[in-house]
Every structure is written in structure tokens, then in C-alpha cells.
Amino acid sequence: GAVVSQHPSRVICKSGTSVKIECRSLDFQATTMFWYRQFPKQSLMLMATSNEGSKATYEQGVEKDKFLINHASLTLSTLTVTSAHPEDSSFYICSAKVGYEQYFGPGTRLTVT
Amino acid sequence: GDSVTQMEGPVTLSEEAFLTINCTYTATGYPSLFWYVQYPGEGLQLLLKATKADDKGSNKGFEATYRKETTSFHLEKGSVQVSDSAVYFCALGSNDYKLSFGAGTTVTVRA
């Protein structure tokens, strides 16, 4: 089946630093990937749509300068949280689109201290 | 816009009990419907799906039928196990391939 990995699985960083999260499709190519954010005991909130070779499309209310997305190849999308603050602490999940389905990565737990 | 309303939890059951999680949706057009499961500390896994009205998705003993007349996609399992303890999300897939998720239902199965 379609496998999506994320790295790192957990990261702790200091306030003001930047953190990069990688999302890889391991056994297939994905022209479109999605980035979600999940708060404790809540549902997933779509942050942005990442398209290979073009700019990401951000959902309303998501700061594109704070959450930088790069989709440089058909198997890799990265999310960089710039100048992270404690309120950015969350569970970040990516998915890769295959046909009309999405396959999800295992998530990255970001803690900003 | 498209939206999903899901039964609130948490739900606590004994092993071998019957599980139902209600899900209704609002959508324009003809969406696909999904149930995802999230085990503690993990990402989402697709549990089952249905792409058109009257389709029944099934997997691991779980079933859900796409009911256009009632705009519903209720999840059912006849006999739950402890290993079914997880958070279940109903989701709607729109024509632009985006997913809209319900709030999630936490299910705990006790031995």
C-alpha cells in the first residue's frame, strides 16, 4: 500500500527558532500533499495544499510566512515553522493524495519551549 | 460549504458490544465519504470508504453505508475488541480532493 513517512516524529525546540518537518511518500509519487494541524483531543485542521513545483495554497487564517511549505520533488514536501512560539506546539500531520484518497503520515509532535 | 457532523464521545463499551458512531454530512455535489481511525500517538489510517450513494464500505468488521437520502455515513461494528480502542473520524472528500473531518469520537473498549 501507499506509505507516507514523516521526520522527525517528535521535536522540541526553543522559542524563536525554526523547525523543519519532512513528509515523504515512500513507494509512490505524489504531486499533491496536504499539511494538517491537530490540537489535543480535536479534529484535523487543513493548513495548506502542497503542489510539486508550484507554490502552496494556504487555508484562510494560516500565515504563509510562518509556515513555509516546499514541495521540491514528487516524493518530498517540507513544512518549516519559522520563529516558533509555544502556541505553535501541536501535532502536525501530512498526507499524500493518490487519486481521490489521501494517505497519512504518522505525524510530528512539535513542542516549543 | 462542506461539513461533517459526528457523534460526540467519548464512548465506552465492553468487549463484544455493538458499536455505532453517527455521522451526517452537508455537501454540494457528490462527495466521497471516509472513516479514518487514529490510534494513540499515531497518524490517521483509512478504515473504509464509499464513493457513491448506497455503497457500503467495510474493513476489519466495521461497516458504513453511504445514505444520500439521510446524508449519513454511520459506522458500525457488531462485536468490538479492546484493540478497537481509538479515535474515529468521519470525513468528506470534495471535488478539489480536500478532506473535511468531523470532530472525532474517542472509543474505549474495556475487557
Side-chain angles (χ1 to χ4, degrees), chain A residues 34 36 38 41-44 46 49 57 59 91 93 97 99-102 104-107, chain B residues 32 34 36 38 41-46 49 51 89 93 96-99 101-104:
Chain A
F34 299 92
Y36 296 85
Q38 185 181 30
K41 300 186 185 300
Q42 294 188 27
S43 189
L44 280 72
L46 178 64
T49 302
T57 305
E59 296 299 301
F91 195 51
I93 303 175
K97 185 178 88 68
Y100 57 82
E101 294 185 28
Q102 292 184 30
F104 287 81
Chain B
S32 296
F34 305 86
Y36 285 88
Q38 185 178 33
E42 300 183 11
L44 272 69
Q45 300 175 27
L46 178 65
K49 64 185 180 188
T51 59
F89 292 94
D96 59 1
Y97 304 108
K98 293 181 181 179
L99 288 174
F101 285 89

Side-chain angles (χ1 to χ4, degrees), chain B residues 17-20 60-63 75-81 84:
Chain B
F18 185 87
L19 170 68
T20 298
K60 299 181 181 179
F62 290 90
E63 291 184 344
L75 182 69
E76 297 181 337
K77 184 172 185 179
S79 178
V80 294
Q81 304 300 314
D84 293 324

Side-chain angles (χ1 to χ4, degrees), chain B residues 51-73:
Chain B
T51 59
K52 61 183 186 297
D54 299 325
D55 269 3
K56 177 187 282 188
S58 62
N59 185 27
K60 299 181 181 179
F62 290 90
E63 291 184 344
T65 301
Y66 189 162
R67 302 284 188 200
K68 187 179 178 183
E69 62 275 15
T70 55
T71 61
S72 65
F73 193 55

Side-chain angles (χ1 to χ4, degrees), chain B residues 13 16 29 34 38 69 72 75 82 85 89 95 103 109-110:
Chain B
L13 303 165
E16 299 183 4
F34 305 86
Q38 185 178 33
E69 62 275 15
S72 65
L75 182 69
V82 173
S85 298
F89 292 94
N95 291 337
V109 180
R110 300 191 188 281

